[in-house]
Structures are given as structure tokens and as C-alpha cells.
Amino acid sequence: MSVSLIILAAGQGSRMQSDLPKVLHPLGATPLVLHALRAGRVLDPEHVIVVVGHGGAAVAKVIAAEDDRVQIVTQTEQLGTAHAVEQARAALDGVGGDVVVLYGDTPFIRAETLQAMQAARAVHDVVVLGFEAADPGRYGRLVAQGDALERIVEFKDATAAERAISLCNSGVICADRATLFDLIAAVGNDNAAGEYYLTDIVALARERGLSAGVVRCDEAETLGINTRTELAEAETRFQARMRAEALENGVTLSAPETVYFAQDTYLGRDAVVEQFVVFGPGVTVESGATVRAFSHLEGCHVSRGAVVGPYARLRPGAELAEDVRIGNFVEVKNAQIDEGAKVNHLSYVGDATIGPRANLGAGTVTCNYDGVFKHRTEIGEGAFIGSSTMLVAPVRVGAQALIGSGSVITSDVPDEALALGRGRQETKPGLGKRLMDRLRAAKAAQAKG
Ligand code: UD1
Ligand code: MG
């Protein structure tokens, strides 16, 4: 059965008190709306439609950067959740299979839950995701007999008896595409909010002799973000979940509560992550690699056996092959570091290719930026770069070449050559002591007079 996804992301989120659209606020270094999108991907959707409104252009840009097959439709006026889904009608015209509706501000829905909903479609025409709320607050209430759903009543429209129901609507629904849009066409806005409620499709389905059912999930999964406080709480929860998952997957975390993950952080089995490490988006650390304390990684790949840090910074495009060493106070950006190469102390390596087993001494810098353009540095296999060398790109150092410490290298160095680019040393025998004696004598004369 094929599935399409509709993600509702048009709301203003006024309670965030922000110029940034709510669904672009980050959770685990990833905009909220991408959490919903990535969760929905497990269903292998044929079409994905995101309904945008407030800040629509900005939301569309983030979505396009993630996946250019996603279609964006605009809901100019926010007249309710049914009206929002209605905006996707044309984009899904004639498409077969089911539609799953997700909210852009509800980031914790699990893959297994969406799969359970899809499975429940074998039994029910309309499937709604519900949860037992500790505090049902203003959620829509599910009027159900066991798993059979009769209708959903919004808090504002509910009687005291209905408000006493603790089984609540998460907002996630699943139905056949044609059925869903038929039902939505019949939804009116004669209710306390004057909105077109998507939730009305349940009662409409039942009137037509169709069946509706509820799939239950843990309340934590349906947590929606409406305020900065909720976002901060969600971040805490998200980090706790990522740490637990890493530990379950066989990662060593020396102090789990000090390690911060992004939504897509991947750590292989037997990877070791020490204290106070921060992962930004797009990091893969393979099995058996070690990230030592106080390191910051984003958009990079660390292969087996590599050791990073302590105090290292890997920026986007850092590609570390097996057994690489990146040591303290080293920054790597957009650079391929080949197998067994070492950059152990106080270096900047940007826009570079470092050959296998090359060694960059302390304080080596690739001078990649001329103020306008970026240039590349290439270092061959087994080359040895002396400490405090400035490599002024574009420049190439050949395999097995040797660069004298303190050099400023501005032109290419052939394979196996020695290059020195610095002032020649002058040594004057005895002069050091004579100078010091003169200075000390001057100080003694000053103290007397
Ligand atoms: C909705 C449900 C309620 C459920 C709750 C769960 C309806 C009528 N009510 O209520 O049963 O318990 O979610 O959180 O569906 N949106 C649009 N366009 C609109 C309106 C909303 O895109 O015109 C988007 C919002 O940006 C948000 C989502 O739909 O992502 C839900 O809208 P919201 O206004 O928060 O609905 P609730 O009143 O919370
Ligand atoms: Mg809401």
C-alpha cells in the first residue's frame, strides 16, 4: 500500500515570541519540521506535501535543502487543520493509497507508531493516533469504545463529561487519500473556534458507515512545541533519548549527560565519546573511533580507529580516514585526512587533502583564504610538515617531502624534496652573555642612583 505524507506547518506559533517560524526552531540542532519529515520517511512515502503559511518562504527553503522532492503548498489564511489539509488536495489529485497527516511542531513520533497506524488501516477506514494524557488540558478528546472511535470533540466544544475523558487526540491521522478528501469536503466551521476541524472527519466517516479506530502511543511521542519553555523541555527529553539509544547501541559515553547530540548523529558500536562533546548536524562516527573530551563536531565523518581531541573542532566536510589522529586545539574544515595521518597540536587544516601517514607538526596552518577566494592545499603520502609551517594555498607538497619548521610555503614542493622557507639563522658566539651582562649592569646602576 503506497503512502503520501502531509505535514501541517502553517501556524504562526505566536507563543514562541519569535520572528522565526515555530517549525524552524531547532531541536537537536535540527529544525522541528525536519523531525516530522524524517519520522515520516520510514513509511517510504510516494509524495510528501508540506503546508506552509507563516514564514512560508523560510520554511520552504529549509525543506528544499533537506529534500527537493517535497512539494510545498501555501495556506494563506489559517482557517483550521481541515482547511490546511485541503490545501494539499490538488497536489495529491489522483494519487492512490493512503495519506498520513503529521504536524510540523510535533517532533517525537516514532517510526514504530506510524507503522502501527498503517497496519491498523487493514481494520479501519480512518485511523487516529491517541494517547492517555496525564493532564488532558486543551487537547481534543477521543470518544471511543475500545479501539473503535466514534468521534473527536475539541476541548472548546466539549461537555463536562467529554472533558473528563483522558484519551486525547495527537493530531496524527491516516486514511485512504480519496476518502480523506471526500470527508474533508464535508467539514464545516460551525463550532466554538469557527475553524475547519480535521477532527470532524471521524464523525463524518461514521455517518457514512465507515469505521474509525484509535492507535495508542505514549504521551511523550505526541509532545507538541508551543513555547520556548516547551522547546527547552523537549531538548532535554531529546538529549536523554539520544544518550539512551547510543548506550543501547554499544557506544561508550564516559559521562552521558554531558554529551549533546543532533537529530542525525550516528555513532557506531564501540565508539567511545568522552566528557563534554557536542555533535552538530551531519556527524558519523564509525565503530571503534574515539572522540575525546571537549570536542565539537559537525558535518563530518570519523572512521574506525581514529582519535579526535581532546579539544578538537571538526567542521563541515572534515573526512577522517581510519586511524587518523586529530589532537588538541586542531580545527579541520572541508578536508580529507587520509589513513594514519596525524595533526596533533594547534593546527588549522581547511580546504585540504592530507595524504596517508602524513604528519603535520604543531601549529601548522593551511592559509586557505586570500580575503576573497578559498584555495586548496594538497599534502602527499608520508610528508612531514615541520612545526609552525604556513602553507599558503593553492599549494602542493609532494609525497615523502620534508618541510623545515617555521616555513612559509608559497610554491609547490616536489615528492621527496626538503623545503625551507624562513630566515637563515645567525649565531654570534658569546654575544648573548655580553648583552645580558650589560643590561644587568644598567639595572644595578639605576637601583643605586
Ligand atoms: C489540534 C487538534 C486537537 C489535538 C491537538 C494535538 C484539530 C481541530 N484539533 O488542536 O484535537 O488534540 O491538535 O496537538 O485538529 N495548522 C495549520 N493551519 C491551520 C491550523 C493549524 O497548518 O489553519 C497546523 C499548526 O501549525 C500545527 C497543527 O496544524 O502544526 C495543529 O494546529 P493547532 O492550532 O496547534 O491545533 P490545536 O488547537 O492544538
Ligand atoms: Mg497545538
mmCIF file of all heavy atoms in Angstrom, residues 108-155:
data_model
loop_
_atom_site.group_PDB
_atom_site.id
_atom_site.type_symbol
_atom_site.label_atom_id
_atom_site.label_comp_id
_atom_site.label_asym_id
_atom_site.label_seq_id
_atom_site.Cartn_x
_atom_site.Cartn_y
_atom_site.Cartn_z
ATOM 1 N N PHE A 108 8.351 14.108 18.079
ATOM 2 C CA PHE A 108 8.793 12.846 18.706
ATOM 3 C C PHE A 108 8.101 11.574 18.232
ATOM 4 O O PHE A 108 8.303 10.514 18.798
ATOM 5 C CB PHE A 108 8.641 12.950 20.226
ATOM 6 C CG PHE A 108 9.619 13.890 20.867
ATOM 7 C CD1 PHE A 108 9.183 14.992 21.581
ATOM 8 C CD2 PHE A 108 10.983 13.668 20.753
ATOM 9 C CE1 PHE A 108 10.086 15.853 22.179
ATOM 10 C CE2 PHE A 108 11.896 14.521 21.339
ATOM 11 C CZ PHE A 108 11.447 15.627 22.051
ATOM 12 N N ILE A 109 7.254 11.680 17.210
ATOM 13 C CA ILE A 109 6.534 10.486 16.745
ATOM 14 C C ILE A 109 7.540 9.413 16.290
ATOM 15 O O ILE A 109 8.423 9.692 15.494
ATOM 16 C CB ILE A 109 5.609 10.827 15.554
ATOM 17 C CG1 ILE A 109 4.643 11.949 15.924
ATOM 18 C CG2 ILE A 109 4.882 9.594 15.036
ATOM 19 C CD1 ILE A 109 3.523 11.561 16.852
ATOM 20 N N ARG A 110 7.370 8.207 16.790
ATOM 21 C CA ARG A 110 8.316 7.136 16.460
ATOM 22 C C ARG A 110 7.901 6.379 15.209
ATOM 23 O O ARG A 110 6.712 6.248 14.893
ATOM 24 C CB ARG A 110 8.452 6.152 17.623
ATOM 25 C CG ARG A 110 9.237 6.736 18.792
ATOM 26 C CD ARG A 110 9.269 5.806 19.983
ATOM 27 N NE ARG A 110 9.119 4.417 19.561
ATOM 28 C CZ ARG A 110 8.278 3.549 20.098
ATOM 29 N NH1 ARG A 110 7.509 3.896 21.082
ATOM 30 N NH2 ARG A 110 8.200 2.316 19.655
ATOM 31 N N ALA A 111 8.886 5.848 14.534
ATOM 32 C CA ALA A 111 8.665 5.068 13.320
ATOM 33 C C ALA A 111 7.694 3.923 13.580
ATOM 34 O O ALA A 111 6.752 3.696 12.809
ATOM 35 C CB ALA A 111 10.005 4.518 12.834
ATOM 36 N N GLU A 112 7.892 3.217 14.696
ATOM 37 C CA GLU A 112 7.050 2.051 15.009
ATOM 38 C C GLU A 112 5.586 2.467 15.143
ATOM 39 O O GLU A 112 4.680 1.712 14.786
ATOM 40 C CB GLU A 112 7.500 1.408 16.336
ATOM 41 C CG GLU A 112 8.882 0.788 16.323
ATOM 42 C CD GLU A 112 10.016 1.811 16.484
ATOM 43 O OE1 GLU A 112 9.755 3.038 16.470
ATOM 44 O OE2 GLU A 112 11.169 1.369 16.620
ATOM 45 N N THR A 113 5.354 3.650 15.677
ATOM 46 C CA THR A 113 3.987 4.140 15.869
ATOM 47 C C THR A 113 3.314 4.372 14.516
ATOM 48 O O THR A 113 2.156 3.989 14.308
ATOM 49 C CB THR A 113 4.016 5.430 16.708
ATOM 50 O OG1 THR A 113 4.623 5.116 17.961
ATOM 51 C CG2 THR A 113 2.627 5.994 16.925
ATOM 52 N N LEU A 114 4.046 4.993 13.588
ATOM 53 C CA LEU A 114 3.478 5.239 12.255
ATOM 54 C C LEU A 114 3.200 3.916 11.553
ATOM 55 O O LEU A 114 2.194 3.759 10.865
ATOM 56 C CB LEU A 114 4.421 6.116 11.433
ATOM 57 C CG LEU A 114 4.594 7.547 11.966
ATOM 58 C CD1 LEU A 114 5.583 8.328 11.112
ATOM 59 C CD2 LEU A 114 3.248 8.278 12.007
ATOM 60 N N GLN A 115 4.078 2.956 11.760
ATOM 61 C CA GLN A 115 3.867 1.637 11.149
ATOM 62 C C GLN A 115 2.643 0.948 11.741
ATOM 63 O O GLN A 115 1.872 0.320 11.018
ATOM 64 C CB GLN A 115 5.127 0.773 11.303
ATOM 65 C CG GLN A 115 6.186 1.178 10.283
ATOM 66 C CD GLN A 115 7.599 0.756 10.677
ATOM 67 O OE1 GLN A 115 7.862 0.449 11.840
ATOM 68 N NE2 GLN A 115 8.494 0.760 9.708
ATOM 69 N N ALA A 116 2.450 1.111 13.059
ATOM 70 C CA ALA A 116 1.273 0.514 13.712
ATOM 71 C C ALA A 116 -0.001 1.145 13.161
ATOM 72 O O ALA A 116 -1.024 0.458 12.960
ATOM 73 C CB ALA A 116 1.355 0.705 15.225
ATOM 74 N N MET A 117 0.046 2.441 12.884
ATOM 75 C CA MET A 117 -1.134 3.110 12.322
ATOM 76 C C MET A 117 -1.444 2.573 10.938
ATOM 77 O O MET A 117 -2.600 2.331 10.582
ATOM 78 C CB MET A 117 -0.908 4.625 12.231
ATOM 79 C CG MET A 117 -0.912 5.297 13.587
ATOM 80 S SD MET A 117 -0.810 7.071 13.414
ATOM 81 C CE MET A 117 -2.436 7.465 12.756
ATOM 82 N N GLN A 118 -0.401 2.385 10.180
ATOM 83 C CA GLN A 118 -0.592 1.872 8.822
ATOM 84 C C GLN A 118 -1.189 0.460 8.869
ATOM 85 O O GLN A 118 -2.089 0.135 8.095
ATOM 86 C CB GLN A 118 0.749 1.860 8.104
ATOM 87 C CG GLN A 118 0.596 2.123 6.636
ATOM 88 C CD GLN A 118 1.925 2.021 5.917
ATOM 89 O OE1 GLN A 118 2.956 1.672 6.499
ATOM 90 N NE2 GLN A 118 1.889 2.313 4.626
ATOM 91 N N ALA A 119 -0.694 -0.333 9.816
ATOM 92 C CA ALA A 119 -1.213 -1.709 9.957
ATOM 93 C C ALA A 119 -2.693 -1.666 10.348
ATOM 94 O O ALA A 119 -3.495 -2.487 9.881
ATOM 95 C CB ALA A 119 -0.394 -2.460 11.008
ATOM 96 N N ALA A 120 -3.071 -0.701 11.192
ATOM 97 C CA ALA A 120 -4.464 -0.605 11.665
ATOM 98 C C ALA A 120 -5.418 -0.233 10.532
ATOM 99 O O ALA A 120 -6.638 -0.410 10.652
ATOM 100 C CB ALA A 120 -4.570 0.412 12.800
ATOM 101 N N ARG A 121 -4.898 0.266 9.451
ATOM 102 C CA ARG A 121 -5.734 0.596 8.293
ATOM 103 C C ARG A 121 -6.353 -0.655 7.669
ATOM 104 O O ARG A 121 -7.353 -0.565 6.945
ATOM 105 C CB ARG A 121 -4.911 1.375 7.262
ATOM 106 C CG ARG A 121 -4.883 2.854 7.537
ATOM 107 C CD ARG A 121 -6.108 3.570 6.976
ATOM 108 N NE ARG A 121 -6.102 3.458 5.516
ATOM 109 C CZ ARG A 121 -6.991 2.793 4.812
ATOM 110 N NH1 ARG A 121 -7.982 2.167 5.404
ATOM 111 N NH2 ARG A 121 -6.901 2.735 3.498
ATOM 112 N N ALA A 122 -5.788 -1.807 7.964
ATOM 113 C CA ALA A 122 -6.377 -3.063 7.482
ATOM 114 C C ALA A 122 -7.746 -3.271 8.136
ATOM 115 O O ALA A 122 -8.609 -3.967 7.603
ATOM 116 C CB ALA A 122 -5.454 -4.237 7.799
ATOM 117 N N VAL A 123 -7.959 -2.670 9.302
ATOM 118 C CA VAL A 123 -9.183 -2.851 10.077
ATOM 119 C C VAL A 123 -10.117 -1.640 9.978
ATOM 120 O O VAL A 123 -11.332 -1.788 9.962
ATOM 121 C CB VAL A 123 -8.829 -3.104 11.574
ATOM 122 C CG1 VAL A 123 -10.065 -3.504 12.374
ATOM 123 C CG2 VAL A 123 -7.727 -4.141 11.703
ATOM 124 N N HIS A 124 -9.524 -0.429 9.930
ATOM 125 C CA HIS A 124 -10.346 0.790 9.979
ATOM 126 C C HIS A 124 -10.107 1.686 8.767
ATOM 127 O O HIS A 124 -8.987 1.765 8.256
ATOM 128 C CB HIS A 124 -10.011 1.587 11.239
ATOM 129 C CG HIS A 124 -10.355 0.871 12.497
ATOM 130 N ND1 HIS A 124 -11.647 0.627 12.890
ATOM 131 C CD2 HIS A 124 -9.561 0.311 13.450
ATOM 132 C CE1 HIS A 124 -11.642 -0.024 14.043
ATOM 133 N NE2 HIS A 124 -10.392 -0.242 14.392
ATOM 134 N N ASP A 125 -11.164 2.394 8.352
ATOM 135 C CA ASP A 125 -11.032 3.329 7.231
ATOM 136 C C ASP A 125 -10.248 4.580 7.628
ATOM 137 O O ASP A 125 -9.471 5.106 6.857
ATOM 138 C CB ASP A 125 -12.422 3.737 6.729
ATOM 139 C CG ASP A 125 -13.175 2.537 6.173
ATOM 140 O OD1 ASP A 125 -12.689 1.966 5.184
ATOM 141 O OD2 ASP A 125 -14.220 2.151 6.750
ATOM 142 N N VAL A 126 -10.501 5.041 8.855
ATOM 143 C CA VAL A 126 -9.775 6.211 9.361
ATOM 144 C C VAL A 126 -9.078 5.789 10.653
ATOM 145 O O VAL A 126 -9.725 5.218 11.539
ATOM 146 C CB VAL A 126 -10.746 7.386 9.664
ATOM 147 C CG1 VAL A 126 -9.991 8.563 10.292
ATOM 148 C CG2 VAL A 126 -11.470 7.826 8.392
ATOM 149 N N VAL A 127 -7.771 6.044 10.730
ATOM 150 C CA VAL A 127 -7.025 5.691 11.941
ATOM 151 C C VAL A 127 -6.475 6.969 12.569
ATOM 152 O O VAL A 127 -5.862 7.798 11.889
ATOM 153 C CB VAL A 127 -5.880 4.709 11.618
ATOM 154 C CG1 VAL A 127 -5.039 4.437 12.869
ATOM 155 C CG2 VAL A 127 -6.433 3.410 11.046
ATOM 156 N N VAL A 128 -6.715 7.132 13.865
ATOM 157 C CA VAL A 128 -6.261 8.317 14.600
ATOM 158 C C VAL A 128 -5.277 7.863 15.678
ATOM 159 O O VAL A 128 -5.482 6.837 16.324
ATOM 160 C CB VAL A 128 -7.473 9.031 15.256
ATOM 161 C CG1 VAL A 128 -7.019 10.149 16.199
ATOM 162 C CG2 VAL A 128 -8.416 9.567 14.180
ATOM 163 N N LEU A 129 -4.221 8.637 15.841
ATOM 164 C CA LEU A 129 -3.264 8.328 16.904
ATOM 165 C C LEU A 129 -3.691 9.042 18.188
ATOM 166 O O LEU A 129 -3.812 10.265 18.220
ATOM 167 C CB LEU A 129 -1.858 8.786 16.488
ATOM 168 C CG LEU A 129 -0.744 8.477 17.492
ATOM 169 C CD1 LEU A 129 -0.568 6.971 17.668
ATOM 170 C CD2 LEU A 129 0.572 9.117 17.047
ATOM 171 N N GLY A 130 -3.918 8.255 19.240
ATOM 172 C CA GLY A 130 -4.354 8.818 20.516
ATOM 173 C C GLY A 130 -3.383 8.481 21.630
ATOM 174 O O GLY A 130 -2.479 7.664 21.456
ATOM 175 N N PHE A 131 -3.576 9.125 22.754
ATOM 176 C CA PHE A 131 -2.718 8.851 23.916
ATOM 177 C C PHE A 131 -3.482 9.158 25.192
ATOM 178 O O PHE A 131 -4.379 10.003 25.200
ATOM 179 C CB PHE A 131 -1.430 9.690 23.854
ATOM 180 C CG PHE A 131 -1.678 11.175 23.880
ATOM 181 C CD1 PHE A 131 -1.530 11.903 25.063
ATOM 182 C CD2 PHE A 131 -2.074 11.845 22.734
ATOM 183 C CE1 PHE A 131 -1.766 13.271 25.091
ATOM 184 C CE2 PHE A 131 -2.315 13.223 22.750
ATOM 185 C CZ PHE A 131 -2.162 13.934 23.929
ATOM 186 N N GLU A 132 -3.125 8.468 26.242
ATOM 187 C CA GLU A 132 -3.692 8.743 27.561
ATOM 188 C C GLU A 132 -2.912 9.901 28.151
ATOM 189 O O GLU A 132 -1.710 9.782 28.398
ATOM 190 C CB GLU A 132 -3.553 7.510 28.471
ATOM 191 C CG GLU A 132 -4.522 6.385 28.164
ATOM 192 C CD GLU A 132 -5.986 6.747 28.466
ATOM 193 O OE1 GLU A 132 -6.226 7.698 29.269
ATOM 194 O OE2 GLU A 132 -6.875 6.093 27.884
ATOM 195 N N ALA A 133 -3.588 11.035 28.363
ATOM 196 C CA ALA A 133 -2.881 12.220 28.842
ATOM 197 C C ALA A 133 -2.902 12.283 30.356
ATOM 198 O O ALA A 133 -3.952 12.095 30.985
ATOM 199 C CB ALA A 133 -3.521 13.471 28.263
ATOM 200 N N ALA A 134 -1.752 12.564 30.953
ATOM 201 C CA ALA A 134 -1.674 12.758 32.402
ATOM 202 C C ALA A 134 -2.523 13.976 32.769
ATOM 203 O O ALA A 134 -3.272 13.967 33.735
ATOM 204 C CB ALA A 134 -0.223 12.963 32.823
ATOM 205 N N ASP A 135 -2.393 15.024 31.966
ATOM 206 C CA ASP A 135 -3.213 16.215 32.130
ATOM 207 C C ASP A 135 -3.800 16.548 30.760
ATOM 208 O O ASP A 135 -3.121 17.143 29.922
ATOM 209 C CB ASP A 135 -2.352 17.373 32.642
ATOM 210 C CG ASP A 135 -3.103 18.696 32.578
ATOM 211 O OD1 ASP A 135 -4.352 18.675 32.411
ATOM 212 O OD2 ASP A 135 -2.438 19.744 32.671
ATOM 213 N N PRO A 136 -5.049 16.152 30.500
ATOM 214 C CA PRO A 136 -5.598 16.289 29.141
ATOM 215 C C PRO A 136 -5.749 17.730 28.653
ATOM 216 O O PRO A 136 -5.843 17.955 27.449
ATOM 217 C CB PRO A 136 -6.974 15.613 29.240
ATOM 218 C CG PRO A 136 -6.924 14.804 30.491
ATOM 219 C CD PRO A 136 -5.986 15.499 31.410
ATOM 220 N N GLY A 137 -5.726 18.682 29.577
ATOM 221 C CA GLY A 137 -5.707 20.101 29.206
ATOM 222 C C GLY A 137 -6.662 20.435 28.078
ATOM 223 O O GLY A 137 -7.854 20.120 28.138
ATOM 224 N N ARG A 138 -6.148 21.070 27.018
ATOM 225 C CA ARG A 138 -6.976 21.556 25.923
ATOM 226 C C ARG A 138 -6.938 20.655 24.689
ATOM 227 O O ARG A 138 -7.341 21.051 23.594
ATOM 228 C CB ARG A 138 -6.555 22.978 25.545
ATOM 229 C CG ARG A 138 -6.607 23.933 26.743
ATOM 230 C CD ARG A 138 -6.328 25.359 26.346
ATOM 231 N NE ARG A 138 -7.329 25.899 25.429
ATOM 232 C CZ ARG A 138 -8.522 26.360 25.790
ATOM 233 N NH1 ARG A 138 -8.893 26.338 27.059
ATOM 234 N NH2 ARG A 138 -9.351 26.827 24.900
ATOM 235 N N TYR A 139 -6.431 19.453 24.849
ATOM 236 C CA TYR A 139 -6.417 18.512 23.724
ATOM 237 C C TYR A 139 -7.831 18.124 23.307
ATOM 238 O O TYR A 139 -8.755 18.125 24.126
ATOM 239 C CB TYR A 139 -5.689 17.217 24.104
ATOM 240 C CG TYR A 139 -4.184 17.337 24.165
ATOM 241 C CD1 TYR A 139 -3.499 17.157 25.359
ATOM 242 C CD2 TYR A 139 -3.445 17.615 23.018
ATOM 243 C CE1 TYR A 139 -2.118 17.254 25.420
ATOM 244 C CE2 TYR A 139 -2.056 17.715 23.067
ATOM 245 C CZ TYR A 139 -1.396 17.532 24.271
ATOM 246 O OH TYR A 139 -0.039 17.625 24.331
ATOM 247 N N GLY A 140 -7.967 17.734 22.030
ATOM 248 C CA GLY A 140 -9.214 17.140 21.569
ATOM 249 C C GLY A 140 -9.393 15.784 22.247
ATOM 250 O O GLY A 140 -8.420 15.070 22.509
ATOM 251 N N ARG A 141 -10.650 15.441 22.597
ATOM 252 C CA ARG A 141 -10.904 14.165 23.295
ATOM 253 C C ARG A 141 -11.436 13.125 22.315
ATOM 254 O O ARG A 141 -12.263 13.434 21.445
ATOM 255 C CB ARG A 141 -11.945 14.378 24.400
ATOM 256 C CG ARG A 141 -11.590 15.479 25.403
ATOM 257 C CD ARG A 141 -10.292 15.174 26.152
ATOM 258 N NE ARG A 141 -10.250 15.832 27.451
ATOM 259 C CZ ARG A 141 -9.723 17.032 27.687
ATOM 260 N NH1 ARG A 141 -9.166 17.715 26.696
ATOM 261 N NH2 ARG A 141 -9.733 17.547 28.900
ATOM 262 N N LEU A 142 -10.966 11.883 22.498
ATOM 263 C CA LEU A 142 -11.411 10.790 21.633
ATOM 264 C C LEU A 142 -12.567 10.059 22.312
ATOM 265 O O LEU A 142 -12.403 9.500 23.400
ATOM 266 C CB LEU A 142 -10.268 9.806 21.375
ATOM 267 C CG LEU A 142 -9.011 10.385 20.713
ATOM 268 C CD1 LEU A 142 -8.032 9.255 20.383
ATOM 269 C CD2 LEU A 142 -9.349 11.157 19.446
ATOM 270 N N VAL A 143 -13.731 10.081 21.667
ATOM 271 C CA VAL A 143 -14.875 9.338 22.184
ATOM 272 C C VAL A 143 -14.806 7.958 21.525
ATOM 273 O O VAL A 143 -15.053 7.825 20.324
ATOM 274 C CB VAL A 143 -16.197 10.061 21.863
ATOM 275 C CG1 VAL A 143 -17.383 9.298 22.447
ATOM 276 C CG2 VAL A 143 -16.163 11.501 22.391
ATOM 277 N N ALA A 144 -14.391 6.951 22.322
ATOM 278 C CA ALA A 144 -14.094 5.631 21.752
ATOM 279 C C ALA A 144 -14.659 4.513 22.618
ATOM 280 O O ALA A 144 -14.888 4.684 23.809
ATOM 281 C CB ALA A 144 -12.585 5.462 21.627
ATOM 282 N N GLN A 145 -14.913 3.388 21.975
ATOM 283 C CA GLN A 145 -15.254 2.134 22.665
ATOM 284 C C GLN A 145 -14.127 1.178 22.349
ATOM 285 O O GLN A 145 -14.052 0.697 21.218
ATOM 286 C CB GLN A 145 -16.546 1.528 22.091
ATOM 287 C CG GLN A 145 -17.759 2.417 22.150
ATOM 288 C CD GLN A 145 -18.461 2.269 23.494
ATOM 289 O OE1 GLN A 145 -18.225 1.293 24.223
ATOM 290 N NE2 GLN A 145 -19.310 3.234 23.832
ATOM 291 N N GLY A 146 -13.250 0.947 23.295
ATOM 292 C CA GLY A 146 -12.069 0.133 22.980
ATOM 293 C C GLY A 146 -11.270 0.843 21.910
ATOM 294 O O GLY A 146 -10.931 2.010 22.056
ATOM 295 N N ASP A 147 -11.002 0.135 20.806
ATOM 296 C CA ASP A 147 -10.230 0.755 19.723
ATOM 297 C C ASP A 147 -11.118 1.401 18.670
ATOM 298 O O ASP A 147 -10.620 1.989 17.713
ATOM 299 C CB ASP A 147 -9.325 -0.289 19.056
ATOM 300 C CG ASP A 147 -8.175 -0.671 19.980
ATOM 301 O OD1 ASP A 147 -7.935 0.068 20.965
ATOM 302 O OD2 ASP A 147 -7.523 -1.698 19.710
ATOM 303 N N ALA A 148 -12.438 1.238 18.833
ATOM 304 C CA ALA A 148 -13.358 1.811 17.836
ATOM 305 C C ALA A 148 -13.664 3.255 18.204
ATOM 306 O O ALA A 148 -14.082 3.556 19.315
ATOM 307 C CB ALA A 148 -14.637 0.995 17.767
ATOM 308 N N LEU A 149 -13.449 4.138 17.251
ATOM 309 C CA LEU A 149 -13.581 5.562 17.516
ATOM 310 C C LEU A 149 -14.907 6.058 16.966
ATOM 311 O O LEU A 149 -15.261 5.779 15.820
ATOM 312 C CB LEU A 149 -12.399 6.269 16.833
ATOM 313 C CG LEU A 149 -12.158 7.737 17.118
ATOM 314 C CD1 LEU A 149 -11.978 7.988 18.601
ATOM 315 C CD2 LEU A 149 -10.894 8.171 16.363
ATOM 316 N N GLU A 150 -15.615 6.795 17.823
ATOM 317 C CA GLU A 150 -16.928 7.298 17.428
ATOM 318 C C GLU A 150 -16.798 8.709 16.850
ATOM 319 O O GLU A 150 -17.298 9.016 15.777
ATOM 320 C CB GLU A 150 -17.790 7.334 18.679
ATOM 321 C CG GLU A 150 -19.263 7.223 18.442
ATOM 322 C CD GLU A 150 -19.968 7.145 19.781
ATOM 323 O OE1 GLU A 150 -19.832 6.092 20.474
ATOM 324 O OE2 GLU A 150 -20.589 8.157 20.165
ATOM 325 N N ARG A 151 -16.117 9.579 17.603
ATOM 326 C CA ARG A 151 -15.915 10.957 17.140
ATOM 327 C C ARG A 151 -14.818 11.596 17.976
ATOM 328 O O ARG A 151 -14.403 11.041 19.004
ATOM 329 C CB ARG A 151 -17.215 11.763 17.255
ATOM 330 C CG ARG A 151 -17.730 11.926 18.638
ATOM 331 C CD ARG A 151 -19.230 12.260 18.651
ATOM 332 N NE ARG A 151 -19.742 11.988 19.978
ATOM 333 C CZ ARG A 151 -19.668 12.856 20.991
ATOM 334 N NH1 ARG A 151 -19.137 14.047 20.805
ATOM 335 N NH2 ARG A 151 -20.121 12.538 22.180
ATOM 336 N N ILE A 152 -14.376 12.774 17.521
ATOM 337 C CA ILE A 152 -13.412 13.555 18.307
ATOM 338 C C ILE A 152 -14.090 14.859 18.652
ATOM 339 O O ILE A 152 -14.705 15.492 17.789
ATOM 340 C CB ILE A 152 -12.121 13.853 17.513
ATOM 341 C CG1 ILE A 152 -11.496 12.567 16.970
ATOM 342 C CG2 ILE A 152 -11.118 14.616 18.390
ATOM 343 C CD1 ILE A 152 -10.242 12.772 16.138
ATOM 344 N N VAL A 153 -14.000 15.242 19.901
ATOM 345 C CA VAL A 153 -14.582 16.520 20.284
ATOM 346 C C VAL A 153 -13.467 17.441 20.791
ATOM 347 O O VAL A 153 -12.642 17.061 21.621
ATOM 348 C CB VAL A 153 -15.739 16.347 21.308
ATOM 349 C CG1 VAL A 153 -15.297 15.563 22.526
ATOM 350 C CG2 VAL A 153 -16.303 17.701 21.722
ATOM 351 N N GLU A 154 -13.433 18.635 20.210
ATOM 352 C CA GLU A 154 -12.418 19.611 20.612
ATOM 353 C C GLU A 154 -12.741 20.129 22.012
ATOM 354 O O GLU A 154 -13.916 20.234 22.383
ATOM 355 C CB GLU A 154 -12.358 20.767 19.610
ATOM 356 C CG GLU A 154 -11.705 20.384 18.293
ATOM 357 C CD GLU A 154 -10.305 19.821 18.498
ATOM 358 O OE1 GLU A 154 -9.424 20.547 18.975
ATOM 359 O OE2 GLU A 154 -10.095 18.627 18.201
ATOM 360 N N PHE A 155 -11.703 20.475 22.753
ATOM 361 C CA PHE A 155 -11.885 20.926 24.130
ATOM 362 C C PHE A 155 -12.926 22.041 24.221
ATOM 363 O O PHE A 155 -13.836 22.000 25.046
ATOM 364 C CB PHE A 155 -10.544 21.394 24.704
ATOM 365 C CG PHE A 155 -10.661 21.965 26.084
ATOM 366 C CD1 PHE A 155 -10.753 21.128 27.189
ATOM 367 C CD2 PHE A 155 -10.704 23.341 26.286
ATOM 368 C CE1 PHE A 155 -10.875 21.646 28.475
ATOM 369 C CE2 PHE A 155 -10.835 23.867 27.570
ATOM 370 C CZ PHE A 155 -10.922 23.020 28.655
#
